[in-house]
């Protein structure tokens, strides 16, 4: 019985190959798509930042993006902070979720309208 060095390291090599195809490659692809989306931003696009802030792109300056959060309120962000471009269908879903969260349960436990 001889110890074959290839046979000893084969499981380790297979493990590295499996990790590459299941973890590293898909993550790299997602990262490239994210950078591509950030580089394709145009003024007027509705976006959501990585922190969950919804805004409209007003201007692009190098690696910065000027976002209008509310009428007349503009903030400067780095492009990397843009999480996704919001489509009109996403905005409808967002509005429906906000309405569903604000509904009264009828139990009389709504403390926001009670006065001291």
């Amino acid at each position: 019985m001889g110890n074959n060095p290839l046979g000893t390291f084969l499981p380790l090599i297979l493990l590295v190959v499996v990790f590459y195809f299941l973890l590293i490659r898909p993550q790299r692809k997602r990262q490239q798509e994210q950078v591509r989306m950030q580089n394709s931003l145009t003024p007027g696009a509705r976006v959501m930042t990585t922190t969950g802030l919804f805004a409209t792109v007003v201007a692009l300056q190098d690696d910065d993006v000027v976002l209008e959060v509310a009428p007349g309120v503009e903030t400067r962000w780095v492009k990397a902070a843009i999480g996704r471009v919001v489509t009109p269908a996403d905005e409808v879903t967002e509005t429906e979720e906000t309405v569903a969260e604000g509904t009264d349960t009828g139990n009389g436990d709504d403390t926001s309208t009670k006065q001291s």
Side-chain angles (χ1 to χ4, degrees):
M1 265 176 114
N3 282 338
N4 186 354
L6 183 61
T8 305
F9 290 111
L10 188 61
L12 183 60
I13 293 169
L14 288 175
L15 186 64
V16 170
V17 169
V18 167
F19 269 110
Y20 176 77
F21 282 106
L22 292 179
L23 298 174
I24 298 170
R25 190 169 177 233
Q27 178 62 30
R28 186 176 296 159
K29 187 175 181 180
R30 278 191 298 271
Q31 188 177 19
Q32 288 173 348
E33 289 174 2
Q34 186 77 7
V35 169
R36 196 174 307 120
M37 179 272 305
Q38 290 167 351
N39 289 333
S40 69
L41 290 174
T42 57
R46 288 279 298 162
V47 296
M48 183 183 82
T49 64
T50 54
T51 58
L53 180 77
F54 289 89
T56 304
V57 175
V58 176
L60 300 165
Q61 302 167 349
D62 298 327
D63 287 336
D64 293 344
V65 179
V66 178
L67 299 178
E68 185 176 41
V69 182
V73 180
E74 295 180 355
T75 58
R76 181 181 305 274
W77 296 70
V78 293
K79 280 185 183 178
I82 306 300
R84 66 183 171 111
V85 175
V86 180
T87 60
D90 291 341
E91 290 182 22
V92 171
T93 304
E94 170 194 336
T95 305
E96 290 172 355
E97 289 174 359
T98 305
V99 171
E101 290 173 359
T103 57
D104 188 13
T105 59
N107 297 334
D109 59 351
D110 187 0
T111 58
S112 64
T113 58
K114 292 182 181 176
Q115 304 237 346
S116 310

